[in-house]
Amino acid sequence: MITVMKTQLTGRQEEILIFIKQFREENGYPPTLREIGKKFGISSTFGVKRHLDALVKKGYLNIESNASRGISFSKDENITSTNIFNLEKELGFQKIPVVGRVAAGTPILAEENIEGSVILDSSFIKRSEDSFALKVKGDSMINVGIYEGDLVIVSSKRDIHNSDTVVAMLNDEATVKTYENKNGKIKLIPQNEKYKPIEIAGTDDFKLIGKVIGVVRWLN
Amino acid sequence: MITVMKTQLTGRQEEILIFIKQFREENGYPPTLREIGKKFGISSTFGVKRHLDALVKKGYLNIESNASRGISFSKDENITSTNIFNLEKELGFQKIPVVGRVAAGTPILAEENIEGSVILDSSFIKRSEDSFALKVKGDSMINVGIYEGDLVIVSSKRDIHNSDTVVAMLNDEATVKTYENKNGKIKLIPQNEKYKPIEIAGTDDFKLIGKVIGVVRWLN
DNA sequence: ATTTGTAGTGAACAAATGATTACTGTTATG
DNA sequence: CATAACAGTAATCATTTGTTCACTACAAAT
């Protein structure tokens, strides 16, 4: 089976393709040649048709011959990132990355640290919060119900205050602790008697990543 | 704001509505009057139009006057239960009901006990598990990291063994506890020293609802 | 300089499509 | 029995819509 080879769209073609998508989302049916022409200031239906023919040839569209509004998208355009964004808003969820082990010297959200993603209800997080999930290692926070294997949901955008649970990078390790800042002296406080509070020294490689805003635990 | 009152569809109207949905999913654009007529053996476009007019009047459709294929669904029909099911499978999430306070004498999933819904990643739960979320009240389970205000995710389909965390109805109240059954003697064991284990007497109104398979906590 | 591709024009025409009119038959309801 | 609602018919007409033709201009590649 020979598949149509996708090739690069011209700027005009891309504009028209986006318009057709938006038109259909807003109206529930695709536009006509004349409606496209009206939008782009193209007075000739043949000019519009040439663009559509190119989009068909390049594999982005299907056109039903002689059918009014006979424009549809090729199969592999059905769920695009734009659609997913719209669906996330409409259905009320967010898909966020899950950070597992953090490689030394890498930003926490580096590609190599991402071991998957998780879908959460929008009531937990907003898209603008730049959230991610971090898989918990260790038992330093069990007194506040955060256990090894849990996912903590982290927002990079929330203000952090004393007693908040935070995620921080400390000497190339991601850690979850209770945050304390008194007179500029920062402590990361475990919530397990087995461990002592950590005072951040000036020489420590320390960075606050974000505030823990949720916990998800899966019991097996 | 006055909303159009939905009224009951006739059998024919419902068939036509379903056909329009399916046609649009398959083709990427809605059908014409003649295409609908062809499907249902209605030779007159006026006969078809009468049905569509009724669907508009009843709030299911919008029709753009004089536009070919000018049929679209009303806003609240854009995401139907069928679409959501397909999207859930495709995008990988489940929407489950959230039970708040349980009214005395009602099944736990009675309409009046449902105070919302929550979206969870499919890796947590499967559709076939009949899951729901229960908002936790009380502090009887803090030793296993289940706090007041948490959502516990409950599956009705999992086998329950000793030491599992379960949701049960006990004397008209929903309760989360650790389950123990020794020689037919059932105990519900809190995980907080403040409370004593509960032995289920034969006269107790007791019912196992399901097994806790996850915990979701939102930190405010 | 030539060729190819891109981006159009204006007009004409054919086909598709929606709207309307006047009508019939059946079923349910008061 | 009368009325209303439902479910159609056939024909006609107006409008919408897609296709085609012969053309122009410009940019990029050869």
Side-chain angles (χ1 to χ4, degrees), chain B residues 50-97:
Chain B
R50 288 276 209 84
H51 289 301
L52 298 189
D53 286 344
L55 288 164
V56 170
K57 195 170 185 181
K58 293 179 178 179
Y60 290 86
L61 289 181
N62 298 320
I63 302 282
E64 183 70 24
S65 189
N66 284 313
S68 67
R69 302 184 193 277
I71 303 171
S72 60
F73 293 95
S74 299
K75 282 303 181 199
D76 50 347
E77 288 285 335
N78 273 343
I79 304 290
T80 63
S81 60
T82 302
N83 286 350
I84 290 178
F85 174 68
N86 290 334
L87 286 168
E88 284 174 353
K89 286 178 69 176
E90 195 158 2
L91 297 172
F93 68 88
Q94 283 295 327
K95 182 179 261 194
I96 59 174

Side-chain angles (χ1 to χ4, degrees), chain A residues 70-198:
Chain A
I71 302 172
S72 60
F73 293 97
S74 300
K75 283 303 183 196
D76 52 347
E77 290 282 336
N78 274 340
I79 302 286
T80 64
S81 61
T82 302
N83 285 351
I84 290 178
F85 173 70
N86 291 333
L87 287 168
E88 285 175 352
K89 287 177 67 175
E90 197 158 1
L91 296 173
F93 69 88
Q94 283 295 327
K95 182 178 260 193
I96 60 174
V98 173
V99 175
R101 187 163 295 281
V102 179
T106 66
I108 197 164
L109 287 170
E111 193 72 24
E112 69 213 83
N113 300 332
I114 308 297
E115 64 176 45
S117 62
V118 69
I119 284 178
L120 291 173
D121 198 284
S122 297
S123 58
F124 295 130
I125 49 175
K126 302 291 175 245
R127 185 173 184 94
S128 57
E129 292 199 57
D130 255 353
S131 301
F132 63 93
L134 176 72
K135 191 175 281 185
V136 171
K137 292 173 185 60
D139 61 350
S140 67
M141 296 295 284
I142 59 175
N143 288 357
V144 291
I146 298 178
Y147 294 82
E148 169 128 7
D150 287 1
L151 291 181
V152 290
I153 312 304
V154 185
S155 168
S156 305
K157 293 295 195 294
R158 299 285 185 96
D159 288 342
I160 291 170
H161 305 101
N162 278 328
S163 303
D164 283 345
T165 303
V166 300
V167 168
M169 295 297 296
L170 180 58
N171 297 328
D172 276 338
E173 273 191 31
T175 185
V176 181
K177 295 287 186 287
T178 300
Y179 176 83
E180 191 189 82
N181 183 343
K182 281 181 173 173
N183 305 321
K185 268 188 142 188
I186 295 176
K187 276 185 185 178
L188 294 180
I189 305 173
Q191 298 291 336
N192 183 343
E193 293 73 21
K194 288 166 60 181
Y195 303 97
K196 288 175 180 168
I198 304 163

Side-chain angles (χ1 to χ4, degrees), chain B residues 35-51:
Chain B
E35 281 162 341
I36 297 172
K38 189 174 184 180
K39 170 74 181 177
F40 290 92
I42 304 173
S43 59
S44 170
T45 53
F46 186 59
V48 176
K49 184 169 164 58
R50 288 276 209 84
H51 289 301

